[in-house]
């Protein structure tokens, strides 16, 4: 088996009374605390041998513990959202102080919608992925140069960045491995996800 980067897929720690919500951290508090499992990070975790998915907030893992955990990894995939972006940048600075050689990809809606702003926000971010990121980060972990990865945006010079476009969203028709007994409604719900066993 070829060398694979030791990869940590991180749903980063939040801050007190910042409740979990659908698909990302949500700026609200309620009587109950609830978090959705980060399925968006579980797809690449299933494709990168030896990787770890760290869902920090529901497991009450704080930023100091996260920094310690990151010392043992070569590649960090950090799922960020607009509301937690500033906090994620501060966390990333601490991570890079503890592990300067770690490569970092920011994924999630913030980088997809605001790629320039995301890349220029920190020298610590090596690249971002627009759209679905599971195959892109898997390819990087397996040694593919970032310049050859579709939908990856990275700094080419200090003032410019480039994106290699071309990866389309996963379609229902490409998910041949779904069981024939899968109901139509279940298939519809799965149409935007990636089937890992194909």
């Amino acid at each position: 088996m070829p060398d694979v980067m030791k990869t940590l897929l991180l749903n980063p720690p939040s801050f007190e009374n910042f409740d979990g919500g659908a698909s990302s951290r949500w700026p609200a508090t309620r009587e109950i605390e609830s978090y959705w499992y980060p399925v968006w990070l579980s797809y690449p975790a299933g494709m990168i041998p030896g990787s770890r998915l760290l869902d920090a907030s529901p497991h009450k893992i704080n930023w100091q513990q996260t920094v310690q955990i990151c010392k043992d990894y070569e590649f960090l995939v950090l799922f960020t959202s607009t509301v937690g972006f500033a906090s994620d940048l501060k966390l990333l600075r601490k991570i890079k102080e503890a592990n300067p050689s770690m490569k970092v990809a920011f994924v999630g809606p913030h980088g997809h919608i605001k790629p320039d702003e995301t890349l220029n926000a920190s020298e610590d971010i090596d690249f971002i992925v627009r759209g679905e990121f599971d195959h892109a980060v898997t390819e990087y972990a397996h040694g593919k140069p970032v310049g050859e990865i579709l939908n990856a945006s990275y700094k080419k010079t200090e003032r410019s960045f480039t994106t290699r476009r071309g990866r389309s969203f996963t379609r229902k028709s490409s998910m041949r491995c779904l069981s024939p007994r899968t109901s139509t409604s279940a298939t519809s719900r799965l149409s935007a996800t990636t089937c890992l066993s194909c």
Side-chain angles (χ1 to χ4, degrees):
M1 177 192 300
D3 287 340
V4 178
M5 295 177 83
K6 193 170 180 188
T7 303
L8 178 66
L9 299 119
L10 176 63
N11 193 27
S14 189
F15 28 94
E16 195 173 345
N17 295 323
F18 193 72
D19 194 22
S23 84
S24 68
R25 292 164 292 163
W26 192 256
T29 57
R30 297 182 285 191
E31 294 79 26
I32 60 168
E33 186 175 1
S34 64
Y35 295 89
W36 286 39
Y37 185 77
V39 293
W40 56 92
L41 288 172
S42 66
Y43 297 135
M47 295 188 286
I48 303 171
S51 64
R52 177 180 178 180
L53 193 164
L54 178 59
D55 193 9
S57 289
H59 296 285
K60 307 298 184 213
I61 296 172
N62 63 32
W63 71 266
Q64 294 96 333
Q65 293 166 311
T66 302
V67 169
Q68 287 301 312
I69 291 167
C70 286
K71 287 180 178 180
D72 295 328
Y73 291 88
E74 300 170 288
F75 179 35
L76 173 66
V77 179
L78 192 149
F79 188 92
T80 191
S81 61
T82 301
V83 74
F85 186 65
S87 175
D88 294 340
L89 291 176
K90 290 176 186 173
L91 173 65
L92 179 57
R93 179 80 296 264
K94 296 293 185 187
I95 290 169
K96 289 291 277 190
E97 286 172 3
N99 186 354
S101 64
M102 177 179 254
K103 298 297 182 186
V104 178
F106 265 37
V107 299
H110 187 83
H112 175 76
I113 302 299
K114 299 181 174 185
D116 298 359
E117 177 184 306
T118 304
L119 276 173
N120 289 322
S122 172
E123 293 291 324
D124 295 325
I125 301 171
D126 291 294
F127 67 99
I128 64 164
V129 181
R130 293 177 168 189
E132 294 180 3
F133 58 86
D134 42 3
H135 290 286
V137 298
T138 299
E139 290 167 357
Y140 187 79
H142 281 89
K144 191 171 193 177
V146 71
E148 297 176 15
I149 297 173
L150 300 179
N151 293 353
S153 296
Y154 60 97
K155 289 184 181 175
K156 202 168 185 178
T157 67
E158 191 175 314
R159 294 185 178 165
S160 70
F161 75 94
T162 187
T163 301
R164 180 140 192 256
R165 298 187 186 278
R167 190 182 314 274
S168 61
F169 291 105
T170 305
R171 302 283 182 229
K172 182 170 42 177
S173 61
S174 69
M175 299 174 68
R176 295 179 304 271
C177 59
L178 285 176
S179 165
R181 296 180 300 188
T182 304
S183 69
T184 304
S185 62
T187 304
S188 297
R189 286 193 305 273
L190 291 171
S191 64
T193 62
T194 302
C195 184
L196 299 179
S197 60
C198 292

